[in-house]
Amino acid sequence: MITKPPGIEDIFPDKIEKWNHVLQTAKNIFALYNFKEIIIPILEFTEVFSRGLGTSTDIVSKEMFSFQDRGQRDLTLRPEGTASVVRAFVENGEYNRLALNKFFYYGPMFRAEKPQKGRLRQFNQFGAEVFGSLDPFYDFEIISLINFISQKIKIPTYTILLNSIGCLKCRPEFIKNLSSYYKQHQQELCPDCQKRLESNPLRLLDCKNKSCQNLKKDAPKINRFICKECQVHYQTVKKYLSEQKISYKEDPCLVRGLDYYTKTTFEFITDQLGGQNAFAAGGRYDNLVEQFQGQPTPAVGFAAGLERILLLIDDQHIPQTSLDVFIIHNGDKSLEIALKILDLLRKNNFKVDLDPSHNNFKPQFKKADREKSKFALIIGEEEIKTKTFSLKNLQSGQQESVETDKIIDYLKKKEI
Ligand code: HAM
């Protein structure tokens, strides 16, 4: 048997209803917030991500699905959407330079992580990016948007973690202090963090290794180092959140695993996902557009993990769309009539099915039950003789006789 690669899932119809419910809710809320959809490629030149996310991040250094195509070009299956949206924005002349651009997107992302519950190698995100404003209102708006989606799809208890990691002006001083603290504890660091200390000391705060986590407690905190401008920005985001009664917890160690962030960072976390506690995350990234050779354009955004959200609402009942009518026949002439009425009902917007392979009623009734059909429309010898259909309500068991040419009007009146 040929199987799928590890960390990759097949999604069968029983999961799709919930999947679509979450996506549709997110799309409705994106529309309420005036975000417009952008479709970005799944495959990009590797440089989009190495330049965008930072070469020393875990994603770029060890988790990308990268390969060379036949023209020896380096390509990568996108591990996230932000860098692609920025590349598209800049490549298309910064889209609409005069306007504030609010985009949303969704689709599969690929990261070669160790698969476990809530951590896949192919997973789906929906996310949003705002280009063109430094106003802390948009940091707030993004957080408020995820909060709205989370409430609408009834994600059980979650916490919003919030931090500011400063800007290119104030962060170097913090990093200097952070490095000198960790240098004093170099022997206690995990092998990865020994390297990070040289390449990207901020990442040390992100490490999940126990001894590195212990060291984090006494590490210098960024809030002591951020400049006046970053402080005011952060205070204003917090003020907006408090005014809207969106509660959050400040976490001065929340640096996130991507290099492009400036100022605000946040995560929506829950304790119901084991090790993978974030179901949505993001922040501000005011320098990334410039890094892609665009005009200086501040930006802020988020992405949420669809599979993680589905795990969180696993026990919720989402009404399944079921069949309106299952047609039951006994072959030959009856099947001939059945096929005609099948077509007619579908053209009148009823969800209808039948099974042409059986002439006996019993297995067909079983199938109608399995499909949770609201009605069974029966075409037996008696019905052919009297030019009627027997219509059985499969919930109440009630059966009525309806003249063949009145069936559409009759079903329409039932408002099924
Ligand atoms: P991220 O934190 O890497 O951020 O991913 C966002 C969300 O994607 C996570 O909170 C999680 O729910 C989901 N996710 C990430 N990796 C996996 C995985 N291996 N399996 C299942 N779900 C996963 C970003 O991707 C940024 N682009 C967010 C952003 C947008 N920042 C600014 N704009």
Side-chain angles (χ1 to χ4, degrees):
M1 185 177 42
I2 301 174
T3 62
K4 52 192 161 31
I8 291 181
E9 283 187 338
D10 300 310
I11 316 290
F12 280 94
D14 56 339
K15 251 194 172 180
I16 292 286
E17 299 267 348
K18 222 169 242 182
W19 179 288
N20 285 342
H21 163 70
V22 173
L23 260 186
Q24 195 50 53
T25 307
K27 282 196 207 173
N28 293 345
I29 294 174
F30 284 136
L32 297 179
Y33 279 66
N34 195 25
F35 279 75
K36 306 277 186 332
E37 183 167 354
I38 179 170
I39 299 178
I40 38 168
I42 290 177
L43 203 56
E44 294 271 9
F45 286 123
T46 300
E47 198 190 349
V48 169
F49 307 110
S50 51
R51 186 191 301 193
L53 319 188
T55 43
S56 59
T57 56
D58 280 357
I59 297 182
V60 174
S61 63
K62 47 188 184 193
E63 292 171 359
M64 294 206 304
F65 286 98
S66 300
F67 59 94
Q68 277 199 336
D69 71 2
R70 279 169 232 206
Q72 264 77 59
R73 286 172 288 247
D74 292 318
L75 298 174
T76 291
L77 288 173
R78 63 179 184 201
E80 60 108 59
T82 311
S84 289
V85 178
V86 171
R87 196 268 313 133
F89 182 66
V90 174
E91 189 174 343
N92 291 278
E94 282 114 36
Y95 191 60
N96 185 350
R97 201 172 287 165
L98 297 179
L100 181 92
N101 290 278
K102 292 165 71 161
F103 299 117
F104 82 87
Y105 55 89
Y106 62 90
M109 309 289 161
F110 302 83
R111 294 184 195 174
E113 295 189 79
K114 202 165 165 209
Q116 61 182 70
K117 184 184 167 195
R119 195 206 275 160
L120 296 160
R121 291 187 166 179
Q122 178 178 334
F123 59 98
N124 286 266
Q125 285 185 340
F126 58 85
E129 317 290 348
V130 180
F131 291 108
S133 178
L134 272 171
D135 197 318
F137 167 78
Y138 291 102
D139 311 42
F140 154 75
E141 189 175 56
I142 285 283
I143 296 173
S144 137
L145 173 96
I146 314 165
N147 196 50
F148 195 0
I149 297 173
S150 307
Q151 287 180 350
K152 201 79 181 177
I153 53 185
K154 302 194 182 75
I155 294 186
T157 47
Y158 58 88
T159 305
I160 303 173
L161 298 182
L162 190 67
N163 191 23
S164 171
I165 60 163
C167 64
L168 297 185
K169 279 180 272 160
C170 55
R171 205 183 308 151
E173 188 55 25
F174 167 64
I175 292 186
K176 213 160 93 192
N177 275 264
L178 195 68
S179 299
S180 82
Y181 166 78
Y182 276 110
K183 277 197 179 124
Q184 289 160 31
H185 299 277
Q186 199 155 359
Q187 299 315 315
E188 297 152 68
L189 290 172
C190 74
D192 275 348
C193 281
Q194 305 257 0
K195 286 188 216 135
R196 286 177 187 132
L197 188 52
E198 294 310 317
S199 61
N200 193 344
L202 204 60
R203 296 270 75 76
L204 289 159
L205 296 172
D206 228 19
C207 183
K208 301 282 181 283
N209 185 293
K210 215 170 178 121
S211 74
C212 302
Q213 285 271 327
N214 283 338
L215 286 175
K216 191 165 93 170
K217 286 181 206 132
D218 297 322
K221 303 290 178 285
I222 185 126
N223 40 7
R224 286 203 296 111
F225 294 86
I226 60 174
C227 61
K228 189 82 198 146
E229 186 195 314
C230 290
Q231 269 175 33
V232 172
H233 188 98
Y234 189 43
Q235 297 300 341
T236 316
V237 176
K238 290 193 286 182
K239 180 173 96 73
Y240 282 134
L241 289 171
S242 303
E243 281 169 3
Q244 291 298 313
K245 305 209 166 11
I246 298 177
S247 43
Y248 58 86
K249 200 170 139 199
E250 288 181 77
D251 177 358
C253 292
L254 184 71
V255 291
R256 313 262 309 112
L258 301 148
D259 278 356
Y260 48 63
Y261 292 110
T262 51
K263 297 196 170 92
T264 316
T265 54
F266 60 81
E267 277 185 0
F268 281 59
I269 61 160
T270 149
D271 55 12
Q272 287 164 55
L273 285 172
Q276 310 312 305
N277 60 1
F279 64 86
R284 178 163 279 281
Y285 52 98
D286 290 339
N287 308 109
L288 193 57
V289 174
E290 246 177 301
Q291 249 169 270
F292 277 80
Q293 264 104 55
Q295 298 286 324
T297 309
V300 56
F302 87 96
L306 191 52
E307 286 82 357
R308 289 196 190 165
I309 290 177
L310 289 173
L311 285 172
L312 291 173
I313 60 165
D314 198 34
D315 55 0
Q316 261 181 45
H317 176 71
I318 307 289
Q320 302 270 319
T321 47
S322 54
L323 268 188
D324 296 321
V325 177
F326 197 90
I327 303 173
I328 290 173
H329 62 92
N330 58 5
D332 301 332
K333 178 82 184 145
S334 156
L335 178 58
E336 236 172 70
I337 301 170
L339 294 181
K340 279 190 191 131
I341 189 71
L342 173 76
D343 185 51
L344 185 68
L345 286 174
R346 284 176 176 166
K347 283 184 174 143
N348 278 276
N349 278 333
F350 291 104
K351 292 188 255 2
V352 197
D353 212 346
L354 55 66
D355 179 355
S357 64
H358 285 286
N359 295 342
N360 294 340
F361 281 4
K362 208 168 160 189
Q364 294 180 68
F365 269 112
K366 266 199 185 148
K367 211 157 189 179
D369 275 341
R370 233 187 358 255
E371 296 286 350
K372 300 195 174 57
S373 180
K374 291 169 196 143
F375 288 94
L377 185 146
I378 305 147
I379 316 172
E381 275 156 33
E382 191 54 33
E383 283 86 3
I384 296 176
K385 224 185 285 164
T386 55
K387 290 202 164 65
T388 59
F389 296 127
S390 294
L391 195 67
K392 185 172 183 180
N393 182 322
L394 293 175
Q395 267 122 51
S396 66
Q398 242 180 21
Q399 191 162 314
E400 294 165 87
S401 189
V402 185
E403 286 172 45
T404 48
D405 53 1
K406 304 238 164 74
I407 189 69
I408 301 286
D409 285 344
Y410 187 88
L411 284 169
K412 277 188 180 158
K413 276 194 201 117
K414 293 267 175 204
E415 290 177 2
I416 53 176

